[in-house]
Amino acid sequence: MKKILIICVNYNSYGALHVFLESIDCAAKEVTQSMEIHVAVADNSSDIQEIEESVYPDIHIEKYVTKQNLGYLGGARFTLNKISKTDYNGYDYVAISNVDVTLDPSFFAQLETINLSNVGWIAPSIISHKENKDRNPKILTRPSKRHLQLAKLIYLTPLVYHLYVRLFYKNRPAPKIMGHEIYAGHGSFMLFSKQADIRTFIDQFEPFLFCEEHFFAEELRKRSLTIEYHPELVVYDTDHVSTSTIPSYTYCKYNKEAISFIIKKYFV
């Protein structure tokens, strides 16, 4: 029997968390004889609430309270480090996810059909309700250092960022996909194979938020593991429940810090 661990990072978004858990439980019903689903809730919240596990009978839920807001990968890292090495090694897949997403009922059944030869990261179709389009594939080819330096300018000030969103982001064309292999998937739901072994390097990530896609892409690239886009795996994104509450100045600051980290670490 295959085993999957989904680490979902929650920050004061319990309504979204419960909807997410419901979708996982629903999808789990399709594979009860062939796949075991475990969910680890990394709770960064300031106002901790209980989770009624009996509501979700087809999944196993554990909660890990960080006692402070560690950010997205910070919360996931805290949780991974709380899980014993023996338990971690027993998982065939490990996912890191926001809570403002839901899984299609066919998700796990479709996952069972995918050949994972040399694949470290399986990027699903992530359908944005707000934009009515797929957020994946996030990045088709490896960016240049100059591209990342220009991307950092987008977050120079909140005004520049909002102008970029209004004039360019919403009108950007969808990427033309040639085959499955891509550079990086979207960070709202990242699914890794056992061979990716993300626990061995996740501690290297320093930013509070953002650029986790580039980080995993580069680390898997160093390990000669590929990243594949599989649109038959469907996730629905309800769009930025937590990050939408961040003030514009802070949002830009976190993005600039994250891009600077990626450039310094991988694009010297």
Side-chain angles (χ1 to χ4, degrees), residues 39 91 98 172 175 188 191 225 260:
V39 180
Y91 291 111
N98 286 327
R172 71 194 190 287
S188 59
L191 178 63
L225 292 171
S260 294

mmCIF file of all heavy atoms in Angstrom, residues 39 91 98 172 175 188 191 225 260:
data_model
loop_
_atom_site.group_PDB
_atom_site.id
_atom_site.type_symbol
_atom_site.label_atom_id
_atom_site.label_comp_id
_atom_site.label_asym_id
_atom_site.label_seq_id
_atom_site.Cartn_x
_atom_site.Cartn_y
_atom_site.Cartn_z
ATOM 1 N N VAL A 39 -2.263 13.440 6.948
ATOM 2 C CA VAL A 39 -2.207 14.899 6.865
ATOM 3 C C VAL A 39 -1.581 15.436 8.145
ATOM 4 O O VAL A 39 -2.029 15.117 9.251
ATOM 5 C CB VAL A 39 -3.607 15.518 6.677
ATOM 6 C CG1 VAL A 39 -3.499 17.049 6.605
ATOM 7 C CG2 VAL A 39 -4.278 14.971 5.428
ATOM 8 N N TYR A 91 6.973 7.036 3.748
ATOM 9 C CA TYR A 91 6.067 7.696 2.801
ATOM 10 C C TYR A 91 6.602 7.609 1.371
ATOM 11 O O TYR A 91 7.787 7.829 1.127
ATOM 12 C CB TYR A 91 5.870 9.164 3.189
ATOM 13 C CG TYR A 91 5.080 9.329 4.456
ATOM 14 C CD1 TYR A 91 5.696 9.797 5.620
ATOM 15 C CD2 TYR A 91 3.732 8.998 4.511
ATOM 16 C CE1 TYR A 91 4.983 9.946 6.798
ATOM 17 C CE2 TYR A 91 3.005 9.136 5.685
ATOM 18 C CZ TYR A 91 3.637 9.607 6.828
ATOM 19 O OH TYR A 91 2.930 9.734 7.987
ATOM 20 N N ASN A 98 -0.628 24.931 0.831
ATOM 21 C CA ASN A 98 -1.450 25.923 1.514
ATOM 22 C C ASN A 98 -2.770 25.263 1.909
ATOM 23 O O ASN A 98 -3.091 24.161 1.439
ATOM 24 C CB ASN A 98 -1.742 27.108 0.581
ATOM 25 C CG ASN A 98 -0.541 28.001 0.391
ATOM 26 O OD1 ASN A 98 0.274 28.186 1.285
ATOM 27 N ND2 ASN A 98 -0.409 28.560 -0.813
ATOM 28 N N ARG A 172 -0.747 38.276 -19.037
ATOM 29 C CA ARG A 172 0.353 37.456 -19.547
ATOM 30 C C ARG A 172 -0.206 36.198 -20.214
ATOM 31 O O ARG A 172 -1.180 35.610 -19.752
ATOM 32 C CB ARG A 172 1.324 37.094 -18.426
ATOM 33 C CG ARG A 172 0.786 36.104 -17.424
ATOM 34 C CD ARG A 172 1.663 36.062 -16.175
ATOM 35 N NE ARG A 172 1.309 34.970 -15.292
ATOM 36 C CZ ARG A 172 0.239 34.908 -14.540
ATOM 37 N NH1 ARG A 172 -0.644 35.895 -14.556
ATOM 38 N NH2 ARG A 172 0.013 33.880 -13.739
ATOM 39 N N PRO A 175 1.730 29.693 -20.715
ATOM 40 C CA PRO A 175 2.928 29.073 -21.306
ATOM 41 C C PRO A 175 2.571 27.952 -22.264
ATOM 42 O O PRO A 175 1.574 27.251 -22.072
ATOM 43 C CB PRO A 175 3.679 28.536 -20.078
ATOM 44 C CG PRO A 175 2.625 28.351 -19.033
ATOM 45 C CD PRO A 175 1.629 29.450 -19.274
ATOM 46 N N SER A 188 1.721 26.615 -4.250
ATOM 47 C CA SER A 188 0.547 26.447 -3.385
ATOM 48 C C SER A 188 0.244 24.988 -3.073
ATOM 49 O O SER A 188 -0.357 24.676 -2.043
ATOM 50 C CB SER A 188 -0.687 27.102 -4.012
ATOM 51 O OG SER A 188 -0.971 26.544 -5.275
ATOM 52 N N LEU A 191 4.004 18.470 -4.737
ATOM 53 C CA LEU A 191 3.994 17.036 -4.460
ATOM 54 C C LEU A 191 5.332 16.422 -4.859
ATOM 55 O O LEU A 191 5.725 16.493 -6.022
ATOM 56 C CB LEU A 191 2.852 16.361 -5.230
ATOM 57 C CG LEU A 191 2.733 14.850 -5.093
ATOM 58 C CD1 LEU A 191 2.445 14.447 -3.646
ATOM 59 C CD2 LEU A 191 1.640 14.326 -6.018
ATOM 60 N N LEU A 225 17.180 15.101 -10.509
ATOM 61 C CA LEU A 225 15.785 14.672 -10.503
ATOM 62 C C LEU A 225 14.952 15.661 -11.312
ATOM 63 O O LEU A 225 15.199 16.871 -11.271
ATOM 64 C CB LEU A 225 15.249 14.594 -9.075
ATOM 65 C CG LEU A 225 15.854 13.498 -8.199
ATOM 66 C CD1 LEU A 225 15.406 13.661 -6.747
ATOM 67 C CD2 LEU A 225 15.471 12.118 -8.714
ATOM 68 N N SER A 260 16.406 37.679 -3.617
ATOM 69 C CA SER A 260 17.827 37.905 -3.315
ATOM 70 C C SER A 260 18.486 36.632 -2.795
ATOM 71 O O SER A 260 19.633 36.313 -3.160
ATOM 72 C CB SER A 260 17.978 39.021 -2.271
ATOM 73 O OG SER A 260 17.542 40.261 -2.793
#
